[in-house]
C-alpha cells in the first residue's frame, strides 16, 4: 500500500505515508485547512510575509551603547538557543563600555558571553556573510574558527560559497530563546559602538577605554586591517579622531519574534543547502505558536483551537523540531468546527440507537460484513471505538434510512454497554464492522 502525499519545495522533498486511504484523505484535508489558517501564505501590509502583530513590546535605541548593553543582559539569560545573523561578526567586541582591562566589563566580550552560555547548554547558530576577501577585511573565516573553537554548541555558517558575489547578507539579527529579538542597523562588529555624545577622541586615560584596541578606528582615513589582531588600535589615538557611528535598532518581544524565528530558520536552512553542507547537526524549527491567521484581539485559547498544525521541542537539546518530522501522520488534527460537527452527528446516532426497537446494523464503507452475533455477546466488555476500529461506515436503524457515520477519533464515546443498555432497548442483533 503506497498511499500518501509528497510535498516538494525548491530544496527538499517530504513524504507523508498513510496507512490507508482514509488517513491519506485526512492528511490532505488538514494540510488544506492549515494553509487557510497559516499567516504566511499571503502578503500583508507593505508586502510583508507576516501580518501586523498587535500587543507587542518594542524598545527603540539610537546609537549602539544602550542597544548592545541590553543585548548583553538578554544573552546571559539565554536558556535554550540563540540565532544570530550579520554582515560582520567580531568575536572580541565588548558589549558594555567603558572597559578597564582585567577590572571592568571584561566579561562582556562577545566571544566570552557566547562561550559561557554555550557551556550552560545553549545552542548557538550564527549565519554570517562570507565576504569577497580581496575587497573586504571582515575575515569571516576567523569568526567561524574563533567562535566554533569555544564549544561544540556553537555553529557558524558562512554564506554564500562563491568566489565573487554581487550581493551580501546585510541583516543584523539576534534572537534569544525565540522570545526576544534584537534587530536594526548595528552589526556585532568593530566600529559600530557609540553613544549620543559621539566622542571623537579616546586616549584611554586611566586605562579606561570607551573604544579599546581596534574599535578605535576611522574608516574615512583607512579601512580595518588584520582584524585578528584586535588589540592593536585601528587608528592613531594621538593624531586621528575616530569616526562616529550613528544608527538605530530595536528590541522586540511578543508574536513578531515568531515571525523573525521563521525567517531565520528558512534563511539558515537555505544557506546550509546552498553551500552543500554535510554536517547538519540540528533541524531548526519554530516553537509552538499561539497565533493564527486572525490577528485581532482574540484569546490565546481560541487561537490555539484554530491552529491545526502544532510543533514540539526536541527535548533537552532545546532546539524546536516539527513533530511531523518523526511521525507525520499523527500531527494532523481536526479543527474545532469539524470536531463539533462530528460530535453532533455521533450524538444523533446514539440517540437513534437508543430509540431503535427492532435491529441495529453497522456496515463498513470498505469491504463486507464479517459476522453476526447476538447483541449481548457482541457488545460485552467493548467500547464503540474498538468495535468500529475508528472506521467510517453507515448506520441503519430503519429499512429506508441510511446515515453517514464518521470515525470517532476525537469524540467522547460512551461504552457500548451504557449505550445499548438492555434495560433501555432490546436490539435483536448487531453486525460487526470488519477491520479497515
Amino acid at each position: 500500500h503506497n498511499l500518501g502525499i509528497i510535498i516538494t519545495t525548491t530544496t527538499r522533498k517530504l513524504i507523508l505515508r498513510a496507512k490507508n486511504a482514509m488517513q491519506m484523505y485526512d492528511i490532505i484535508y488538514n494540510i488544506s485547512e492549515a494553509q487557510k489558517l497559516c499567516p504566511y501564505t499571503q502578503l500583508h501590509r507593505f508586502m510583508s510575509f507576516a501580518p501586523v502583530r498587535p500587543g507587542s513590546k518594542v524598545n527603540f535605541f539610537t546609537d549602539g551603547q544602550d542597544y548592545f548593553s541590553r543585548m548583553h543582559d538578554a544573552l546571559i539569560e539565554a536558556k535554550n538557543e540563540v540565532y544570530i545573523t550579520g554582515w560582520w561578526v567580531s568575536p572580541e567586541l565588548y558589549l558594555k563600555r567603558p572597559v578597564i582591562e582585567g577590572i571592568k566589563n571584561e566579561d562582556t566580550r562577545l566571544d566570552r558571553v557566547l562561550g559561557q552560555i554555550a557551556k550552560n547548554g545553549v545552542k548557538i547558530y550564527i549565519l554570517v556573510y562570507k565576504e569577497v576577501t580581496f575587497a573586504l577585511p571582515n575575515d569571516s573565516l576567523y569568526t567561524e574558527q574563533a567562535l566554533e573553537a569555544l564549544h561544540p554548541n556553537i555553529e557558524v555558517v558562512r554564506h554564500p560559497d562563491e568566489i565573487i558575489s554581487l550581493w551580501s547578507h546585510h541583516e543584523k539579527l539576534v534572537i534569544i530563546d525565540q522570545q526576544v529579538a534584537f534587530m536594526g542597523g548595528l552589526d556585532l562588529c568593530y566600529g559600530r559602538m557609540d553613544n549620543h555624545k559621539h566622542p571623537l577622541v579616546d586616549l584611554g586615560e586611566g586605562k579606561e577605554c570607551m573604544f579599546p584596541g581596534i574599535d578605535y578606528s576611522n574608516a574615512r582615513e583607512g579601512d580595518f586591517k588584520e582584524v585578528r589582531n584586535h588589540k592593536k588600535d585601528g587608528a592613531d589615538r594621538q593624531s586621528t579622531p575616530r569616526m562616529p557611528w550613528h544608527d538605530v535598532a530595536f528590541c522586540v518581544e511578543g508574536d513578531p519574534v515568531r515571525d523573525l524565528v521563521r525567517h531565520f530558520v528558512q534563511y539558515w536552512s537555505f544557506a546550509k543547502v546552498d553551500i552543500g553542507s554535510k554536517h547538519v547537526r540540528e533541524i531548526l524549527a519554530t516553537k509552538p505558536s499561539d497565533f493564527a491567521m486572525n490577528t485581532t484581539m482574540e484569546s490565546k485559547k481560541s487561537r490555539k483551537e484554530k491552529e491545526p498544525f502544532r510543533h514540539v521541542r526536541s527535548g533537552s537539546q532545546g532546539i524546536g523540531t516539527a513533530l511531523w518530522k518523526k511521525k507525520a501522520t499523527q500531527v494532523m488534527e481536526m479543527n474545532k468546527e469539524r470536531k463539533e460537527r462530528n460530535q453532533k452527528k455521533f450524538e444523533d446516532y446514539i440517540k437513534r440507537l437508543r430509540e431503535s426497537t427492532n435491529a441495529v446494523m453497522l456496515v463498513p464503507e470498505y469491504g463486507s460484513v464479517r459476522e453476526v452475533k447476538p447483541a449481548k455477546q457482541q457488545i460485552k466488555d467493548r467500547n464503540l471505538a474498538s468495535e468500529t476500529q475508528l472506521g467510517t461506515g453507515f448506520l441503519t436503524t430503519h429499512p429506508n434510512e441510511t446515515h453517514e457515520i464518521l470515525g470517532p477519533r476525537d469524540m467522547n464515546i460512551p461504552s457500548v454497554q451504557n449505550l445499548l443498555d438492555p434495560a433501555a432497548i432490546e436490539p435483536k442483533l448487531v453486525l460487526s464492522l470488519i477491520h479497515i
Side-chain angles (χ1 to χ4, degrees):
H1 300 284
N2 295 319
L3 298 175
I5 63 173
I6 299 176
I7 301 175
T8 304
T9 70
T10 56
T11 58
R12 65 203 65 204
K13 182 184 294 185
L14 174 66
I15 300 176
L16 302 180
R17 301 189 184 278
K19 297 179 179 179
N20 51 55
M22 289 163 48
Q23 192 177 60
M24 181 182 68
Y25 295 141
D26 191 48
I27 293 173
I28 295 173
Y29 172 83
N30 281 281
I31 290 177
S32 177
E33 290 298 296
Q35 188 175 15
K36 296 176 184 177
L37 295 175
C38 180
Y40 306 112
T41 55
Q42 59 182 287
L43 292 177
H44 302 277
R45 191 179 68 171
F46 305 131
M47 302 293 288
S48 173
F49 76 98
V52 175
R53 304 295 191 189
S56 303
K57 180 181 178 182
V58 183
N59 292 107
F60 292 91
F61 300 89
T62 301
D63 301 322
Q65 186 170 9
D66 292 339
Y67 176 69
F68 288 128
S69 178
R70 175 73 71 85
M71 184 186 297
H72 167 271
D73 295 342
L75 281 171
I76 61 176
E77 295 296 328
K79 297 294 187 294
N80 300 307
E81 66 271 322
V82 172
Y83 301 150
I84 299 174
T85 64
W87 178 78
W88 183 14
V89 176
S90 303
E92 295 85 12
L93 175 72
Y94 288 95
L95 298 178
K96 286 182 178 285
R97 309 292 173 92
V99 176
I100 301 179
E101 187 174 356
I103 299 176
K104 184 177 181 180
N105 290 330
E106 276 283 295
D107 58 346
T108 69
R109 211 171 77 176
L110 181 61
D111 56 349
R112 293 167 182 167
V113 172
L114 296 182
Q116 182 57 51
I117 63 176
K119 292 177 183 178
N120 294 337
V122 176
K123 297 280 189 172
I124 302 170
Y125 301 87
I126 303 172
L127 179 58
V128 65
Y129 170 56
K130 184 179 180 181
E131 77 287 354
V132 179
T133 55
F134 64 81
L136 294 169
N138 300 19
D139 201 349
S140 61
L141 177 60
Y142 170 69
T143 298
E144 178 183 29
Q145 293 172 341
L147 293 179
E148 288 195 341
L150 297 173
H151 196 276
N153 281 343
I154 302 177
E155 182 176 3
V156 179
V157 170
R158 299 189 298 143
H159 184 262
D161 193 16
E162 301 172 2
I163 298 177
I164 298 178
S165 59
L166 301 179
W167 57 274
S168 68
H169 289 295
H170 236 281
E171 294 185 0
K172 305 93 167 60
L173 179 64
V174 176
I175 305 173
I176 302 168
D177 290 341
Q178 303 194 24
Q179 296 178 353
V180 58
F182 294 83
M183 188 172 73
L186 293 163
D187 273 297
L188 283 166
C189 68
Y190 306 127
R192 305 305 189 263
M193 174 66 77
D194 213 332
N195 57 35
H196 303 324
K197 296 180 179 180
H198 299 296
L200 300 180
V201 178
D202 179 21
L203 299 177
E205 297 176 344
K207 295 184 179 180
E208 181 176 283
C209 280
M210 182 68 184
F211 308 98
I214 195 173
D215 220 7
Y216 186 90
S217 61
N218 189 324
R220 297 300 182 187
E221 295 291 329
D223 207 348
F224 290 96
K225 298 178 181 179
E226 300 178 359
V227 296
R228 301 188 183 206
N229 188 8
H230 59 89
K231 293 185 177 181
K232 182 179 179 181
D233 292 344
D236 189 338
R237 296 177 186 268
Q238 302 298 324
S239 61
T240 305
R242 62 171 293 273
M243 187 185 80
W245 193 279
H246 186 66
D247 219 321
V248 294
F250 66 88
C251 169
V252 60
E253 299 177 54
D255 286 346
V257 180
R258 309 280 189 174
D259 300 323
L260 294 175
V261 169
R262 178 184 174 88
H263 171 70
F264 179 88
V265 167
Q266 292 182 329
Y267 197 174
W268 175 273
S269 299
F270 171 81
K272 296 278 281 192
V273 173
D274 191 50
I275 65 177
S277 176
K278 303 299 183 182
H279 60 290
V280 180
R281 303 180 190 173
E282 302 282 355
I283 297 175
L284 305 186
T286 58
K287 290 180 180 179
S289 64
D290 292 333
F291 56 79
M293 187 63 228
N294 187 352
T295 57
T296 59
M297 299 302 290
E298 57 183 341
S299 68
K300 288 187 177 182
K301 180 179 179 182
S302 63
R303 281 183 280 172
K304 286 183 178 180
E305 291 171 344
K306 287 183 179 180
E307 187 179 18
F309 280 99
R310 301 294 294 162
H311 296 83
V312 296
R313 300 170 54 76
S314 59
S316 60
Q317 297 300 321
I319 298 301
T321 181
L323 181 58
W324 48 259
K325 175 70 179 179
K326 297 180 179 179
K327 207 168 184 181
T329 58
Q330 292 186 358
V331 303
M332 304 301 178
E333 301 175 1
M334 292 184 177
N335 60 35
K336 182 181 179 181
E337 181 180 352
R338 188 182 181 197
K339 290 180 180 180
E340 292 177 348
R341 184 173 66 248
N342 290 354
Q343 186 71 40
K344 185 176 180 180
K345 285 185 178 182
F346 190 70
E347 289 173 354
D348 183 61
Y349 300 148
I350 294 175
K351 180 180 178 182
R352 289 179 177 274
L353 283 171
R354 291 186 183 280
E355 293 175 351
S356 62
T357 57
N358 297 315
V360 174
M361 180 173 68
L362 299 178
V363 182
E365 182 177 2
Y366 305 103
S368 58
V369 176
R370 172 177 292 176
E371 58 182 330
V372 178
K373 294 182 179 180
K376 292 184 179 180
Q377 178 183 352
Q378 181 67 27
I379 66 177
K380 183 178 181 181
D381 297 327
R382 293 191 180 188
N383 56 51
L384 193 56
S386 62
E387 180 65 25
T388 62
Q389 293 296 308
L390 303 183
T392 299
F394 299 92
L395 173 67
T396 301
T397 57
H398 299 285
N400 297 322
E401 292 185 4
T402 300
H403 307 276
E404 181 184 5
I405 180 170
L406 300 179
R409 291 178 177 82
D410 49 6
M411 304 181 210
N412 297 322
I413 305 168
S415 68
V416 172
Q417 289 177 319
N418 294 332
L419 176 64
L420 301 180
D421 185 357
I425 57 175
E426 288 293 339
K428 302 303 180 184
L429 55 88
V430 173
L431 300 186
S432 172
L433 276 180
I434 70 166
H435 295 188
I436 299 175

